[in-house]
Amino acid sequence: MKHLRRFFVKFYLLFANSKVEAELAREIDAHLALLEDEYLRQGMTSEDARRAARLAYGGVEQAKQLHRDERAFEGVGQVLQDTRYTFRQLRKSPGFTVTAILMLALGIGATTAIFSIVEGVLLRPLPFPDPDRLVILGDEGSHCASCTQSSVTAPDIRNYMRDTQSFSHLGGYRQRLFELSGAGDSAAVNATRMSGEVFAALGVPPMLGRTFTQQEDEEGQQVAVLSYGLWRSRFHGDANALGSTILLYRKPYTVIGVMPRDFEFPLSPGNVNHSELWLPLSLQPEELTAGAAASWNSRMVGRLKPGITAEQAQSDAERVAQETVRDYPAYMRSLRIHAVVTPLHEDTVGQARPLVRTLFFAVIVVLLIACANLAGFLLVRAIRGRREIAVRLALGAGAATLLRQAIVESTVLSVAGCMIGLALAAGALRVGVSLLPQTLPRVNEIGLNWPVMLFALGLALLTGLLCGLAPAFAAIRTSVNETLKEGGRTGTSGSGHARLRSALVVAEIAVALTLLATSGLFLRSFEKMRDVKLGFRPDNTLAALYVLPQQRYAAQSAIDEFTRTLLNDVGHLPGVDAVGVTSFLPASGNSWNIAFTIEGYVSPKGAGLNMAAMSLVESDPFEALGIRVLRGRVFIKSDNASSQLVAIVNRKMAERYWPGQDPIGKRLRRGMPETSTPWMTVVGEVDDVKLGSRDAETIPQVYQPVTQSVASEGVFASPGELSAADGWIVLRSRTAPEAMQDTLLATVRKIDPQLPLYQMQTMEHAISKSEAPRRFNTVLISWFAVAAVLLSVLGVYGVIAFSVALREQEMAVRMALGGQRSEVILLILSSGAKLAALGCGLGLLGAVAASRLLRSFLFEVSPFDPGVLSVSAIAMLLLALAASALPARRASSADPMLALRGE
């Protein structure tokens, strides 16, 4: 209890210092007065008695310090004292204080904002219990050599769930669009069909009601679980929504639960395509047919049993995969698949990791330059105050005291910068999250939470420590005798200090040039990408997706009637030049890759299947999209289910399989060589079309009339299979496509009043979305590069200006002895040029060292591009010379007599 009371007393005295100091001073004065009276009684004079009393008592300041150390925490008290002293000193230099704090606020704020992305996307555990045990199970193999994610077929879901032994829960899921009605106006919603085991695997309980079970899934129960957002927007947060009925594609589903606000699955990239409700997967018989066995359009998620590793689970799943392959019918014997088990976290963030790391690297460069600038400024302050430091050293101040004070000063500045930086980071995130590329996952989890703020505080403390070392060691190395002898004269500050200042500036220029060169490479890549031909004309083109509900359009005749009416009515709208329907929209990033057998073509050994993107079209989407026909013809009305099967191929397809030949009249068919499917005759060749972004690889493409799609499937066709139940409407108009949106929707609603249109957009908007990731990288890196260059130029200016100030007398003597002002300017500019040249040399080496990190982000540009590196280095040199020009001009315009007289 005694020790605890003493602790609190010491803590209180840290903040009651002035009162205790006054009492201590009075007590010491009383002791001195008593000693002085004693010496006066002994017959001394007043002056001698006062001197003797002080000698007998000892050092007053030493006594005060001993008392301070005893009454309070020694180290903390000294730090608080240094902090108060720092505040007094900073108030005397408001220009320096504001510049240093804002510079650090920029560096720490930018770093914190980017770290919040790193923490939210990469570091934070997934929002599920024991997320490390959640895995994605899928197939890889000859069916999709270029796929970025593993996927499964509907039969795979059944087989893996039934035959694997390594998962406590395992289920499949598939995302799709639904028409929602029955609770307000009809609308398009994103939904996920999934096995009942998926909710059990994820382990997140609903906020209201319950989730569906595997038994309900297998029984085909029509139940639905709502997202929090859909529950709030559609049912206004009413708890009585449980048990109500909604219509999905005009089929009734009963609402049985509502998930929590922060629940999200699948973890889709960006802010769009997040699931708004979840339905039982309930695989139908047609989904388990031969055609479905070759359609990898689903995924699986599972939770590992305790003690089971991902490697053991993959071995278990591989056994099931090979059993599945052995059971393939004879017409699928060319297919080879392998099971792949990937941690859910890696599957979610794996593709985003290189981008986030690059952004963090870039912002750390900006912070390092800001730190180097602050260290240089503090070093200059220490050198200018070296006379005061020399006096303190002469009076007995220890090196530890000076070291502590320098670090406290830099820490105060960095913490102040941190506070402002956090405010800047919060504002940047509020605005910037919506601008993040849609390829980035978990964007809704990005924000300033406690881990991010603790990171910012730790970064500020580390920055303060590192930035304070340079002035601290400069203070310790101050020569007392030489400094006091100099008096008020200007002169050099010591070669060691000069070298340290120059080294800081060289480092700033080097890292700034590295970032500037990176920005140049990104800009060059973006320019190269914009030069790539799309293969179609996006101007004046509008697109919208429709999906016909099976409840109303259960027969092919009903679908055909809707499509004929739609094309006729839209085609007769005022201002419409052409209209068509296609199953996949260019520049959207979606495609359907299937295997083809080419008549007379022998694949190289080990080449795998002949894959191409298949698009089903109706009417004339080639004219609507502005796709050039290179040879042959487009489809005509007589190309129907009862006529010869025909196809149109792109240039890439023709060059790969019929090099140097006319592809018109050549034949191909769906599936592998052993598959029994009918032949299609090529009747046209069109230009290569970018199905994704401009920088994506162009792939072989095959177009087919949608009316012939079922006939061309052969053994893969399901009994009663329907075609053209969904598609993209594309129209070309003479007016702005935005003005046609309401007209197109009204035309569709005239045919079917409840049918919504999804993702209505101009083609220029679709292209802009596809370019967004590269544009985001380029813009952000460029802004960081601008900030880095400005900070490094500020550093060059500060060092040259201070060097000129120290050499003011030398410059005056030169001009007094007949030196020309131009010679003085040249001397100062050469000093700046030397630093810039050395920094540029190191920066070019840094750019080369960063090439491995940059290579995956560049498009048709080498990381060693001589043009970009040369321009970046020249720009950095010129900016450094410009930063040196102002001090040079000031020095050359100084009056030598005034400068010498001032000494």
Side-chain angles (χ1 to χ4, degrees):
M1 193 69 185
K2 177 181 177 182
H3 294 295
L4 185 62
R5 180 176 177 276
R6 183 171 181 176
F7 172 83
F8 283 114
V9 168
K10 284 190 173 187
F11 185 77
Y12 166 75
L13 290 176
L14 286 174
F15 305 96
N17 197 53
S18 57
K19 181 179 178 182
V20 177
E21 282 290 322
E23 292 177 357
L24 176 61
R26 287 195 296 271
E27 184 178 347
I28 291 176
D29 289 342
H31 277 288
L32 290 173
L34 289 174
L35 288 172
E36 189 174 343
D37 289 343
E38 179 66 26
Y39 287 124
L40 285 172
R41 284 194 294 272
Q42 294 178 10
M44 290 187 181
T45 64
S46 296
E47 185 175 345
D48 290 341
R50 187 178 301 111
R51 183 172 181 276
R54 288 186 171 276
L55 289 173
Y57 186 82
V60 173
E61 290 303 321
Q62 286 87 344
K64 286 183 178 181
Q65 189 60 48
L66 288 173
H67 187 274
R68 294 184 190 113
D69 296 343
E70 178 62 27
R71 74 171 185 246
F73 300 106
E74 179 179 354
V76 178
Q78 292 171 347
V79 169
L80 287 176
Q81 185 178 356
D82 288 339
T83 303
R84 287 191 288 269
Y85 175 78
T86 296
F87 280 122
R88 289 197 300 271
Q89 293 297 106
L90 292 178
R91 278 199 298 269
K92 295 177 183 178
S93 307
F96 163 79
T97 303
V98 171
T99 301
I101 289 176
L102 291 181
M103 190 164 52
L104 284 175
L106 171 65
I108 294 176
T111 305
T112 302
I114 297 300
F115 180 77
S116 69
I117 299 177
V118 175
E119 192 273 339
V121 174
L122 299 184
L123 302 182
R124 190 181 307 175
L126 296 179
F128 308 112
D130 296 323
D132 292 341
R133 304 205 64 75
L134 289 173
V135 296
I136 293 292
L137 170 59
D139 295 338
E140 286 185 357
S142 57
H143 65 282
C144 189
S146 60
C147 293
T148 57
Q149 291 183 324
S150 59
S151 54
V152 294
T153 66
D156 282 340
I157 295 175
R158 176 194 59 194
N159 297 343
Y160 283 130
M161 290 182 66
R162 182 188 62 205
D163 299 333
T164 54
Q165 308 296 323
S166 301
F167 304 93
S168 56
H169 301 284
L170 177 66
Y173 63 93
R174 180 187 304 170
Q175 287 183 281
R176 64 170 295 183
L177 289 166
F178 276 85
E179 172 197 300
L180 171 64
S181 56
D185 296 334
S186 61
V189 295
N190 292 300
T192 299
R193 294 174 55 198
M194 62 189 197
S195 308
E197 283 287 285
V198 172
F199 275 124
L202 298 177
V204 178
M207 184 185 74
L208 293 176
R210 64 179 181 86
T211 57
F212 49 82
T213 64
Q214 184 61 29
Q215 181 178 351
E216 288 175 307
D217 174 26
E218 293 170 355
E219 292 174 354
Q221 297 290 326
Q222 294 183 187
V223 293
V225 177
L226 306 181
S227 69
Y228 180 88
L230 185 63
W231 174 62
R232 294 287 298 179
S233 63
R234 200 78 180 183
F235 293 93
H236 310 291
D238 185 2
N240 294 324
L242 297 180
S244 61
T245 299
I246 59 174
L247 299 178
L248 297 173
Y249 283 136
R250 304 173 198 183
K251 293 173 63 176
Y253 284 76
T254 302
V255 176
I256 62 171
V258 178
M259 296 306 291
R261 180 198 297 265
D262 57 352
F263 178 80
E264 179 188 342
F265 188 83
L267 298 171
S268 303
N271 288 302
V272 297
N273 299 328
H274 292 172
S275 287
E276 299 171 86
L277 55 86
W278 296 269
L279 314 169
L281 181 61
S282 299
L283 293 173
Q284 302 301 307
E286 62 269 18
E287 295 180 288
L288 300 172
T289 59
S295 181
W296 279 264
N297 57 6
S298 303
R299 307 201 75 200
M300 297 190 77
V301 64
R303 181 174 290 275
L304 298 174
K305 288 181 178 178
I308 300 295
T309 64
E311 290 75 16
Q312 291 172 322
Q314 179 158 324
S315 177
D316 181 25
E318 177 65 16
R319 170 184 55 81
V320 177
Q322 297 314 309
E323 290 175 359
T324 301
V325 171
R326 284 193 292 271
D327 291 339
Y328 279 161
Y331 53 79
M332 292 176 59
R333 65 173 180 268
S334 296
L335 282 176
R336 294 290 182 270
I337 64 170
H338 299 281
V340 178
V341 173
T342 309
L344 179 59
H345 186 272
E346 178 62 25
D347 182 82
T348 303
V349 307
Q351 294 184 53
R353 184 176 287 112
L355 168 61
V356 175
R357 284 177 174 173
T358 301
L359 295 180
F360 196 58
F361 162 77
V363 79
I364 285 294
V365 167
V366 176
L367 179 61
L368 288 175
I369 295 176
C371 290
N373 263 352
L374 178 61
F377 289 164
L378 290 172
L379 180 59
V380 167
R381 275 173 61 86
I383 294 171
R384 292 194 177 194
R386 64 188 182 279
R387 180 170 174 78
E388 176 192 344
I389 294 170
V391 171
R392 295 179 65 186
L393 288 171
L395 293 176
T401 301
L402 297 178
L403 181 66
R404 185 184 64 244
Q405 185 178 329
I407 292 176
V408 166
E409 181 180 27
S410 61
T411 302
V412 167
L413 290 171
S414 61
V415 170
C418 174
M419 298 299 104
I420 299 175
L422 281 174
L424 293 176
L429 288 175
R430 185 180 296 274
V431 175
V433 166
S434 61
L435 303 177
L436 291 172
Q438 295 301 312
T439 54
L440 206 62
R442 308 181 69 186
V443 293
N444 292 331
E445 299 181 43
I446 296 171
L448 285 185
N449 51 23
W450 283 111
V452 174
M453 289 191 282
L454 288 176
F455 167 81
L457 180 60
L459 190 64
L461 295 176
L462 179 62
T463 299
L465 175 64
L466 295 178
C467 292
L469 291 179
F473 286 120
I476 292 171
R477 296 178 59 186
T478 299
S479 174
V480 177
N481 291 332
E482 292 182 6
T483 303
L484 294 178
K485 284 177 184 177
E486 286 179 4
R489 291 173 291 141
T490 60
T492 62
S493 61
S495 59
H497 295 162
R499 283 195 297 270
L500 181 55
R501 293 197 310 275
S502 299
L504 288 172
V505 171
V506 167
E508 287 182 46
I509 293 173
V511 294
L513 177 57
T514 300
L515 195 52
L516 183 62
T518 300
S519 171
L521 291 170
F522 274 58
L523 286 168
R524 184 74 177 129
S525 290
F526 191 71
E527 180 186 9
K528 285 275 191 180
M529 183 194 72
R530 294 300 302 270
D531 290 340
V532 173
K533 293 182 179 179
L534 293 166
F536 64 95
R537 292 189 294 113
D539 58 300
N540 290 351
T541 308
L542 181 67
L545 176 66
Y546 68 89
V547 180
L548 300 179
Q550 189 175 2
Q551 193 77 359
R552 173 171 174 177
Y553 299 91
Q556 188 64 54
S557 58
I559 297 174
D560 294 342
E561 177 61 26
F562 171 87
T563 307
R564 278 194 300 270
T565 306
L566 172 68
L567 292 172
N568 180 71
D569 291 356
V570 174
H572 285 86
L573 289 174
V576 174
D577 289 334
V579 63
V581 174
T582 178
S583 57
F584 291 98
L585 189 68
S588 66
N590 297 320
S591 62
W592 177 30
N593 294 327
I594 65 174
F596 282 91
T597 297
I598 314 298
E599 186 178 36
Y601 178 79
V602 179
S603 300
K605 187 176 182 180
L609 301 178
N610 303 320
M611 306 296 292
M614 168 67 87
S615 293
L616 305 176
V617 301
E618 190 153 356
S619 189
D620 194 1
F622 300 105
E623 183 179 353
L625 288 167
I627 301 174
R628 283 193 310 145
V629 179
L630 305 179
R631 289 175 179 171
R633 63 174 177 85
V634 296
F635 300 128
I636 54 180
K637 287 185 179 180
S638 59
D639 294 325
N640 52 46
S642 60
S643 65
Q644 166 64 43
L645 301 184
V646 294
I648 294 174
V649 299
N650 70 336
R651 177 185 292 170
K652 182 85 170 183
M653 183 89 173
E655 290 177 349
R656 175 172 297 183
Y657 298 110
W658 305 288
Q661 304 177 52
D662 185 348
I664 307 303
K666 304 295 184 183
R667 298 202 305 171
L668 69 162
R669 57 185 177 85
R670 294 192 188 194
M672 289 74 71
E674 64 272 16
T675 308
S676 177
T677 51
W679 290 101
M680 296 181 286
T681 302
V682 177
V683 296
E685 178 187 351
V686 296
D687 213 348
D688 294 332
V689 172
K690 289 293 183 181
L691 299 178
S693 62
R694 294 177 190 255
D695 54 356
E697 182 184 1
T698 301
I699 60 176
Q701 299 160 22
V702 176
Y703 301 88
Q704 185 184 11
V706 68
T707 52
Q708 296 183 347
S709 62
V710 175
S712 67
E713 290 178 7
V715 295
F716 290 118
S718 304
E721 182 178 339
L722 303 176
S723 63
D726 57 70
W728 285 92
I729 307 168
V730 288
L731 65 88
R732 176 169 295 279
S733 65
R734 292 187 294 274
T735 60
E738 294 85 356
M740 297 294 300
Q741 292 185 2
D742 292 340
T743 305
L744 176 60
L745 180 59
T747 304
V748 171
R749 288 291 174 87
K750 192 189 301 184
I751 304 170
D752 187 336
Q754 288 186 281
L755 188 67
L757 290 180
Y758 308 93
Q759 302 177 37
M760 190 181 299
Q761 59 190 314
T762 67
M763 288 306 299
E764 289 175 336
H765 178 68
I767 294 168
S768 179
K769 286 196 301 182
S770 71
E771 295 173 351
R774 189 173 291 278
R775 184 188 304 112
F776 173 81
N777 299 349
T778 303
V779 170
L780 199 58
I781 293 292
S782 297
W783 275 112
F784 287 156
V786 169
V789 169
L790 290 178
L791 287 173
S792 62
V793 167
L794 180 62
V796 173
Y797 169 78
V799 166
I800 298 299
F802 182 63
S803 175
V804 168
L806 288 178
R807 299 171 64 185
E808 183 180 2
Q809 184 183 14
E810 175 194 341
M811 301 299 174
V813 170
R814 284 176 179 271
M815 287 190 287
L817 294 177
Q820 299 298 313
R821 296 183 186 275
S822 60
E823 294 176 355
V824 172
I825 293 176
L826 185 60
L827 178 66
I828 296 171
L829 289 179
S830 65
S831 299
K834 289 176 184 177
L835 295 178
L838 182 56
C840 287
L842 294 175
L844 290 175
L845 292 177
V848 171
S851 60
R852 178 175 297 182
L853 179 65
L854 300 176
R855 195 179 297 275
S856 61
F857 296 100
L858 302 180
F859 176 69
E860 293 187 357
V861 174
S862 167
F864 311 109
D865 187 288
V868 171
L869 296 180
S870 300
V871 170
S872 301
I874 292 171
M876 199 73 238
L877 277 170
L878 293 176
L879 288 170
L881 287 174
S884 306
L886 187 59
R889 187 170 179 274
R890 187 181 302 148
S892 66
S893 61
D895 188 336
M897 295 305 296
L898 291 177
L900 293 173
R901 198 174 291 154
E903 296 297 331

